[in-house]
Amino acid sequence: MNGQNRKDIYPGLEVDIILKKDQRSGTLTRGVVKNLLTSAAYHSRGIKVRLEDGQIGRVAHIVDEED
């Protein structure tokens, strides 16, 4: 699943995000969502979230149970 729809993302969910500094390289950072920062229902580049460790970025991928 991609991270473009706000309804798919909630606190406690494990996701891969792209940090602002990694936008050019596309490096992903894995973490657990603390809270959602984008209020819109949809965002083409991904919903912006804060991870439990404090990092902020846009959701690139929602981690499935199998991953």
Side-chain angles (χ1 to χ4, degrees), residues 12-26:
L13 184 66
E14 189 174 12
V15 296
D16 290 330
I17 67 168
I18 298 179
L19 301 172
K20 183 78 170 177
K21 68 180 180 70
D22 294 332
Q23 283 179 343
R24 285 182 179 260
S25 66

Side-chain angles (χ1 to χ4, degrees), residues 32-37 48-52 54-57:
V32 178
V33 175
K34 181 176 182 181
N35 53 354
L36 284 70
L37 303 177
K48 189 179 279 188
V49 297
R50 177 180 288 119
L51 300 181
E52 288 185 342
Q55 297 184 93
I56 295 174

Side-chain angles (χ1 to χ4, degrees), residues 10 13 26 28 53 61 67:
Y10 51 88
L13 184 66
L28 298 176
D53 64 5
H61 178 73
D67 286 355

